[in-house]
Amino acid sequence: MQPLTAVNDFVIKFANVNGSGSASANTLFGKSILRMGVVATPRNIFPSNIQGLPTWYEIRVSEKGHIGCRGGVDLMVAMNPQTWDEDLKSIEVGGYLFYDSTKALPPSKFRKDISVIGVPLTEMCNEAYTDPRQRQLFKNIMYVGALAALLDMDIATIESLIGEQYKGKDKLIQPNINALHMGRDWALKHLQCPIGLRIQSSDSVGNRIMLEGNSAAALGAVYGGATICAWYPITPSSSLAEAFQNWSARTRTDAVSKKRNVAIVQAEDELSSIGIVIGAAWNGARAFTATSGPGISLMQEFLGLAYFAEIPAVIFDVQRGGPSTGMPTRTQQSDLLSAAYASHGDTKHVMLFPEDPNECFQFGALSFDLADRLQTPIFVMLELEIGMNERLCAPLAWDDAKKMDRGKVMTAEDLQAGKQFGRYLDVDGDGIPYRTLPGTHPTRGAFFTRGTTKDRFARYSEEGHDYVENMDRLLKKWDTAKTLVPQAIRRNADEPTQAGVIYIGSTSPAMDEAVDILANQGIALDLLRVRAFPFGKEVAEFIAQHEQVFVVEQNRDAQLRSLLVNELDIDPRKLMKVLFYDGTPITARFIAGAISAKATPQKVVPFRKVVS
Amino acid sequence: MTFLLKPKLHHPNLPTNALGLTRRDYEGSVSTLCAGCGHDSISAAIVHACFEMSLQPHRIAKMSGIGCSSKTPTYFLGASHGFNSVHGRMPSVLTGANLANKDLIYLGVSGDGDSASIGLGQFAHSIRRGVNMVYIVENNGVYGLTKGQFSATADRGAKSKRGVMNSDEAIDMVSMAMQLGATFVARSFSGDKAQLVPLIQAAISHQGAAFIDCISPCVAFNNHEGSTKSFDYVRAHNDAVNSLDVITGRDEIIVDYAPGTLEMVKQHDGSVLALRKLAADYDVHDRIAAQAWLSGRHAKGEIATGLLYVDLDPVDLHASLRTVDTPLNELDETVLCPGAAMLDRINASLR
C-alpha cells in the first residue's frame, strides 16, 4: 500500500456527533488553512437534529483553487462510533484514518489499504480535566492540535485565530491554546509527523473573503434598502433572516434616537410572512421574506395576488431537498418550477440564481430594484450548499453613487399637475404601469387593489376584453424583465466546439473543474451559466449555436431544462439531461463522468444524424 | 343592489366638517350587497364616524380579505387607498402596510368566515402583536357569497335557512381578542348606529390593536326564526354594558351626571371617551373581570355589547420593534445603505 502524498490538495472529513461542540473546532481548523493562504472549502453535512445524530464537516484543500465538492475522503477524522463503518469505507485507497485510540478496537474494524493514526484523546482529556463538558470541548481542540502536527501546519496561525475567536471572553483563550498544544505535543512525540498529506503556506487565497451565502444575501438586503423582513423559521433559510437581524443591529440603528430603521417580524407562518411583505411593499417599503421549498408551497395564493395585482416582493428561497419535508438539511435545485410558475392561473415569476456568496450579496441588493421596477415578486434562488456553507469568494463591492430604483411611483406633484393615472395603464409601452402609494394626495390617485379582474383604471370588471388586455400587458412586462435581469455568463472552450453546457447556481465551481477534466479527455465544452429567469436572448442564441447542449442541474425532473424547453420553444431532444439529486453537492467527478459517457469526441455526432 | 350610478352633485347646503368636506366625500361607490344587508349599515357608520372626526380620507388605508364583508371597503371612503387581499389574510397585509408607514390609519374590515375560520390564525397573531389598527368583523354567522353555509361564529343549536341545526361550538372573537391582548375590544350591532359610530371613532383614536365584533344580520341567508344572528334575535338579546360618546375637540369637558355613572377616559391622542355605565358592576379596564362577566352573559344567551375593554397604555408593534419616527417607506439610501466604507470593513473582518 502506497500512502497518499499531496501538498495542499486533499479532502479531510470530520465525523462527529451533533451537539458535541465539534463545529467550532472544525471551523477553527478550516480557517487556519485559509489563513495559511491555502484555498479551503468547508461543507457542513448535518442532520435535522439538535443533539445526538451524526454530523460531518468536510474540508476540501486545493492549491489550484477548486472549491466545488470533489467526492471521496483522503483523511478521515472518525470521532463518531455510530458511523464508523461507513466512514471507514469512504476513505480512498492509501488514505488516512485518524481516531480516538483510548478504547482498543479489533483489527476487523480497520482496513489494510489505509494508514491508521490513533491518538488517545479521551484518555488525555480525562487526565487533564475533571468537568465533563470541558472534557468534551477540549477533546475537539486537542485533535486540531494533533492534526496540525500531522499536516505540518503553522501553529502560530491557529493560536492567533483562537485569540480572535474568543475575543471578549479572554479567559477562554489560554485553556484552548493549552489543549491545542497537548494534542500537538502528543502527536509530535508518538507519531511520525508529518504524514504524506501536508499544508504548506501559499498565496492562493489572495484578497478573497469567506462567508455564508445566507449572510451575504441578508447583507445585500441591507444595502438594497430593505426595511421590512417577515419570516418564519425553516431550515436552511432561518440563518438568512437572523443574519439580517444582526447586520441591521450593526448598521440600521439611528445614532441619536437609538431607534431602528428596520422592522423585523417573526411571523406565525409563511402565509403571514408573505402577506406582511406584500402589504409593506404595497405601501412603498422594501420588504422581503426568507424561506425554503415548503414555504414557497404555502405562499402560492399570495404570490398569484402579487403577480396579478402587481405588487413588489422579494423572496429568498434557500432550496433544500424536496418534495414534502424531503431532505431538510441537504441541498438541491428543485424549487425552480414551483417558484417560476407559482400560484393558480397563468403566472410567471422572476428568479435570480446566485453562484456564490458574492452574487448572493449582489442579487440580494438588486432584487429590490427589480421588484420595484417590475412591480412583481422576485425570487432569489439560493441553495443550502451556498446558503449555509462558508465559501471563499471575491470581496463584496458597492458603488456609493448608486441610488435605489423605486420604479414608477407617481408623486403628489405628478398628481397635482394633472398627470393621468391609471393603475394598470401601460403609458410607456413596456408593460409596466404607474402606481401610487396610500396617503399621497388628498383627492387624486387613490385606487382599489384587488385580486379580481379589473380594467386599466383598477375598476372591478368581469369583461373578457379587460382581462385579456391585462394578461397580455403582463406578458409585455415579462419581455421587459428579460432586459433587466442579470445576463447569462458565457465562457467558450479554447477550441471551437459543437457541445455546450448550461447550468445554474452552486453547480458553478464543480463545472469549472469538470470542464478542465473533460478538456484533458479531448472533450471541449462551451459554458453558459444562466443567472436569471426569464432567460435573455443570449440563452436562446447559445442553444442555437450548439449541436448538443447538456443541462446540468441538481434535481430529478430536469426542471431547468423544462423551463428552457417551455419558454424558448427548444426541441427537447437537443437538451441532454445531466441530473444529480442525492442531496449532496454535485461534484466535478460526477459531471465529467456523465458528460463524457454521453459525449466523448468519438461519440459526438451531429444532432441531425442522431435523430434521423 | 342598484345599478344606478351615484350622482356626483349634492345639495349645496350639506353640512361640512372641520376640513370643509361633506359626508359625501367619505362615501364610496354604490353597494352591490343585498338590499337591507347589515354590512351597508356598518359602511354608513364608518362614513359617519370619519366625517365627524374630520379625518383626511387619503390618510386612511382600507384593508380586507374575501367575502361579502370584505367587499364593503369599495362602498366607503372612495378617496382612500384600498386593498382587497386574499381570503383570511387581511391581518398580515395590514400588518405589513402598517409597518411601512406608521402615520396612516389602518381600517381592517373582515367577516366571520374570513376571520374566524380560514383567517383565525392571522386574526390572533395580528392582535397579539398589537398592530395599531381598527379591526372590524362584520359578523353574520353565515357564508353569504357561497349561499348560506354556517360559519364558525354560528351558535351551537342555531338553525340554518334550510333547517339544519349547527352542532359545532361557536367561536367568540371578543373573548379571543381579549385573551390575545387586544387593547380595545368592543361589540356592537349593525342595527344600532348610535352605539356603533362612537365605538368606531373610539377605536380609530385608540393607538393600538382595536377590535370590534359587529353583529350584522344577513338578510338573504341568516335572518330567519331559529337564527341567533337575525335582526329580531339580536334586538331581543342585546345587552349593552355602557354607552359611549367620543369627544375629540379641545373644548372644556363639562359633564352633568350622577357620580359613579359617567367615566371620562382620556386616550393618548387627546381624545376623551365619555362612558356612561349601563351595567353598574362592569369595569371596562379590568380585563380578567370583563372576561368572566362576558362568559356569564353568554351562558344566559345574552349578547353583551358596548365598549368591553380598553387599555389606556397600549404598546403597539412599532413601539415593540423600536422603529424610527419617520415612516419606513420614506427612508432613502442615505439612511438605509451603509455604503462602501462599511463594506470594506466587513470584507476585512471576513478574511
Side-chain angles (χ1 to χ4, degrees):
Chain A
M1 189 264 302
Q2 182 66 37
L4 291 175
T5 57
V7 177
N8 295 354
D9 186 18
F10 55 89
V11 173
I12 173 166
K13 191 168 183 176
F14 299 82
N16 299 98
V17 177
N18 209 22
S20 67
S22 58
S24 61
N26 296 345
T27 310
L28 172 73
F29 179 79
K31 233 173 169 180
S32 305
I33 301 173
L34 276 169
R35 276 291 171 86
M36 289 175 67
V38 181
V39 172
T41 308
R43 280 182 180 81
N44 253 314
I45 302 136
F46 61 98
S48 182
N49 163 268
I50 298 301
Q51 207 176 62
L53 287 185
T55 178
W56 292 270
Y57 188 79
E58 179 189 298
I59 300 171
R60 180 174 188 189
V61 183
S62 169
E63 178 72 27
K64 281 189 189 153
H66 294 310
I67 61 176
C69 188
R70 191 201 72 179
V73 180
D74 302 322
L75 167 56
M76 172 63 76
V77 181
M79 301 301 290
N80 186 358
Q82 266 179 290
T83 57
W84 178 275
D85 295 342
E86 184 192 334
D87 294 335
L88 186 75
K89 213 157 53 178
S90 67
I91 302 169
E92 301 271 318
V93 173
Y96 300 82
L97 169 73
F98 178 101
Y99 79 111
D100 180 355
S101 61
T102 303
K103 193 174 152 229
L105 290 169
S108 62
K109 284 285 182 190
F110 298 97
R111 269 169 54 184
K112 292 214 162 62
D113 57 351
I114 56 172
S115 305
V116 176
I117 304 160
V119 180
L121 293 166
T122 304
E123 190 187 309
M124 290 159 68
C125 276
N126 289 353
E127 263 170 38
Y129 309 102
T130 50
D131 177 59
R133 187 65 185 156
Q134 279 191 341
R135 283 178 171 174
Q136 176 63 55
L137 293 177
F138 287 126
K139 183 156 74 177
N140 300 326
I141 297 295
M142 238 179 238
Y143 70 62
V144 172
L147 289 170
L150 291 164
L151 300 171
D152 197 20
M153 290 170 68
D154 178 28
I155 200 72
T157 303
I158 309 179
E159 283 174 0
S160 76
L161 271 168
I162 289 176
E164 289 172 31
Q165 193 168 334
Y166 294 106
K167 204 173 164 191
K169 301 178 208 160
D170 291 4
K171 63 174 191 259
L172 292 175
I173 297 175
Q174 200 50 50
N176 274 285
I177 289 179
N178 291 346
L180 181 80
H181 279 279
M182 252 185 266
R184 180 167 183 264
D185 294 347
W186 193 95
L188 288 173
K189 193 171 160 196
H190 298 94
L191 302 170
Q192 195 189 339
C193 296
I195 55 172
L197 307 176
R198 272 180 303 140
I199 310 272
Q200 213 167 64
S201 290
S202 167
D203 55 3
S204 60
V205 172
N207 74 340
R208 280 184 282 181
I209 59 166
M210 180 88 157
L211 83 162
E212 292 177 357
N214 281 355
S215 181
L219 188 60
V222 170
Y223 274 73
T227 51
I228 288 155
C229 163
W231 65 293
Y232 186 72
I234 179 171
T235 303
S237 75
S238 307
S239 61
L240 199 160
E242 283 162 353
F244 184 72
Q245 225 150 12
N246 293 336
W247 290 124
S248 295
R250 201 165 146 190
T251 60
R252 288 287 189 79
T253 306
D254 188 83
V256 182
S257 69
K258 301 293 172 208
K259 289 185 178 177
R260 297 280 174 84
N261 288 318
V262 70
I264 302 167
V265 176
Q266 184 188 317
E268 63 270 27
D269 54 31
E270 286 87 349
L271 285 80
S272 179
S273 304
I274 189 70
I276 290 171
V277 168
I278 288 171
W282 172 80
N283 211 359
R286 294 197 146 182
F288 74 93
T289 186
T291 189
S292 188
I296 300 295
S297 295
L298 286 166
M299 294 175 186
Q300 297 279 312
E301 187 185 20
F302 256 130
L303 291 166
L305 172 76
Y307 173 79
F308 195 50
E310 297 178 67
I311 299 163
V314 172
I315 301 111
F316 292 97
D317 176 6
V318 189
Q319 297 169 87
R320 65 189 216 184
S324 189
T325 308
M327 293 194 291
T329 61
R330 300 289 187 265
T331 197
Q332 261 183 6
Q333 299 173 330
S334 54
D335 294 345
L336 306 187
L337 289 175
S338 73
Y341 302 123
S343 207
H344 55 276
D346 292 326
T347 59
K348 291 173 198 267
H349 302 287
V350 176
M351 299 190 285
L352 308 179
F353 307 116
E355 66 162 348
D356 68 355
N358 185 289
E359 273 190 348
C360 288
F361 172 77
Q362 281 182 48
F363 292 177
L366 172 70
S367 60
F368 292 93
D369 277 357
L370 288 173
D372 272 348
R373 173 57 50 185
L374 292 164
Q375 299 176 18
T376 200
I378 306 292
F379 290 85
V380 186
M381 305 295 283
L382 283 80
E383 303 152 46
L384 185 146
E385 164 70 358
I386 44 174
M388 283 191 76
N389 284 309
E390 291 199 302
R391 191 68 82 246
L392 207 56
C393 65
L396 309 178
W398 190 259
D399 175 7
D400 280 336
K402 199 186 136 19
K403 294 240 180 295
M404 292 197 273
D405 175 11
R406 300 308 316 264
K408 299 184 186 180
V409 182
M410 277 208 180
T411 62
E413 292 72 35
D414 292 335
L415 293 163
Q416 188 58 36
K419 212 164 160 182
Q420 188 190 28
F421 172 63
R423 174 63 184 95
Y424 300 106
L425 185 66
D426 185 8
V427 182
D428 304 323
D430 56 3
I432 306 171
Y434 283 78
R435 62 179 184 140
T436 55
L437 303 181
T440 301
H441 190 280
T443 55
R444 293 173 188 170
F447 70 98
F448 207 78
T449 303
R450 45 164 61 90
T452 36
T453 314
K454 59 265 166 182
D455 67 9
R456 49 182 101 160
F457 293 96
R459 291 175 300 223
Y460 178 78
S461 167
E462 293 179 2
E463 298 290 336
H465 62 85
D466 282 331
Y467 174 80
V468 170
E469 178 186 301
N470 198 45
M471 291 300 280
D472 289 350
R473 183 182 50 75
L474 285 168
L475 271 188
K476 194 189 268 182
K477 181 162 94 170
W478 186 245
D479 285 335
T480 303
K482 292 174 189 168
T483 66
L484 298 177
V485 297
Q487 283 206 338
I489 292 180
R490 179 171 178 162
R491 209 177 80 212
N492 284 343
D494 293 337
E495 53 192 285
T497 173
Q498 285 302 312
V501 186
I502 293 179
Y503 59 101
I504 53 171
S506 76
T507 304
S508 195
M511 181 60 73
D512 289 345
E513 195 180 342
V515 85
D516 286 348
I517 300 173
L518 288 164
N520 287 335
Q521 296 172 12
I523 302 169
L525 293 167
D526 291 341
L527 301 184
L528 189 76
R529 181 167 68 86
V530 167
R531 299 198 298 165
F533 178 76
F535 306 118
K537 63 177 187 327
E538 73 282 5
V539 180
E541 280 166 15
F542 181 86
I543 296 172
Q545 287 162 8
H546 293 87
E547 294 283 350
Q548 190 177 34
V549 177
F550 297 93
V551 183
V552 180
E553 52 188 313
Q554 300 179 51
N555 58 64
R556 186 195 70 179
D557 290 347
Q559 298 188 23
L560 176 62
R561 179 175 171 275
S562 295
L563 290 174
L564 291 164
V565 167
N566 199 33
E567 295 294 323
L568 301 177
D569 248 346
I570 308 288
D571 183 340
R573 287 169 297 184
K574 189 167 180 181
L575 301 180
M576 311 284 289
K577 299 175 189 173
V578 179
L579 305 171
F580 188 85
Y581 49 91
D582 74 358
T584 62
I586 195 167
T587 62
R589 288 177 183 179
F590 169 82
I591 297 172
I595 291 183
S596 80
K598 288 176 183 165
T600 52
Q602 297 78 25
K603 285 186 207 153
V604 170
V605 249
F607 175 62
R608 281 180 298 274
K609 285 187 195 160
V610 175
V611 297
S612 59
Chain B
M1 66 173 283
T2 173
F3 294 97
L4 294 175
L5 286 177
K6 243 183 219 183
K8 286 219 178 350
L9 292 170
H10 59 73
H11 193 278
N13 295 336
L14 266 187
T16 55
N17 62 14
L19 296 174
L21 300 175
T22 72
R23 186 192 294 218
R24 294 293 306 277
D25 294 318
Y26 291 85
E27 291 178 353
S29 42
V30 176
S31 169
T32 60
L33 300 176
C34 308
C37 177
H39 296 358
D40 283 335
S41 310
I42 302 173
S43 296
I46 292 170
V47 167
H48 191 114
C50 295
F51 166 73
E52 273 193 353
M53 291 174 85
S54 297
L55 299 176
Q56 294 181 293
H58 76 292
R59 303 300 291 174
I60 302 171
K62 313 169 286 184
M63 325 293 286
S64 64
I66 294 292
C68 291
S69 55
S70 292
K71 285 180 154 207
T72 64
T74 315
Y75 316 137
F76 57 80
L77 299 173
S80 306
H81 274 66
F83 195 156
N84 188 191
S85 65
V86 288
H87 198 20
R89 317 298 175 206
M90 174 276 284
S92 65
V93 179
L94 187 151
T95 301
N98 177 292
L99 288 174
N101 184 353
K102 54 166 67 169
D103 285 353
L104 301 184
I105 292 166
Y106 295 91
L107 185 53
V109 177
S110 179
D112 40 308
D114 202 50
S115 276
S117 291
I118 187 169
L120 192 64
Q122 295 219 338
F123 155 73
H125 290 279
S126 65
I127 296 283
R128 274 182 66 225
R129 287 187 191 106
V131 179
N132 182 5
M133 63 180 169
V134 179
Y135 191 136
I136 301 180
V137 167
E138 306 188 345
N139 184 355
N140 56 17
V142 77
Y143 285 82
L145 272 180
T146 52
K147 304 196 173 175
Q149 299 83 2
F150 281 120
S151 85
T153 62
D155 288 307
R156 188 193 285 269
K159 231 194 253 169
S160 79
K161 202 176 175 182
R162 292 181 199 135
V164 180
M165 186 91 86
N166 176 35
S167 56
D168 296 349
E169 187 56 48
I171 288 174
D172 177 20
M173 301 197 73
V174 158
S175 307
M176 282 191 73
M178 280 206 191
Q179 192 271 319
L180 292 164
T183 45
F184 180 107
V185 180
R187 179 149 49 210
S188 189
F189 171 43
S190 65
D192 187 353
K193 200 172 172 188
Q195 182 191 49
L196 180 56
V197 170
L199 284 176
I200 293 172
Q201 292 175 334
I204 289 174
S205 54
H206 181 76
Q207 303 296 305
F211 177 74
I212 303 175
D213 175 24
C214 190
I215 307 205
S216 173
C218 173
V219 290
F221 297 107
N222 207 7
N223 197 28
H224 48 270
E225 179 91 38
S227 157
T228 59
K229 299 275 193 292
S230 66
F231 277 108
D232 289 345
Y233 186 92
V234 179
R235 279 205 189 96
H237 296 82
N238 189 344
D239 181 16
V241 299
N242 48 35
S243 88
L244 175 72
D245 279 308
V246 180
I247 304 158
T248 50
R250 304 212 174 271
D251 305 335
E252 193 188 345
I253 298 158
I254 301 161
V255 286
D256 188 18
Y257 284 102
T261 60
L262 189 83
E263 188 191 358
M264 306 301 278
V265 180
K266 191 160 185 196
Q267 299 209 104
H268 272 294
D269 70 336
S271 64
V272 174
L273 310 180
L275 204 57
R276 193 158 52 84
K277 280 191 177 190
L278 298 177
D281 54 345
Y282 194 85
D283 181 356
V284 78
H285 306 297
D286 185 338
R287 184 161 78 161
I288 291 162
Q291 281 176 296
W293 199 91
L294 289 168
S295 303
R297 306 311 288 175
H298 180 72
K300 289 186 182 145
E302 299 294 314
I303 303 166
T305 60
L307 176 54
L308 302 176
Y309 175 70
V310 63
D311 179 346
L312 296 176
D313 284 309
V315 176
D316 93 319
L317 180 57
H318 278 283
S320 308
L321 295 174
R322 294 191 297 124
T323 56
V324 289
D325 297 339
T326 314
L328 294 175
N329 69 352
E330 289 177 18
L331 303 174
D332 64 12
E333 55 278 325
T334 58
V335 177
L336 298 177
C337 184
M342 171 62 95
L343 203 52
D344 288 343
R345 287 203 290 282
I346 291 171
N347 280 327
S349 73
L350 297 171
R351 287 190 177 110

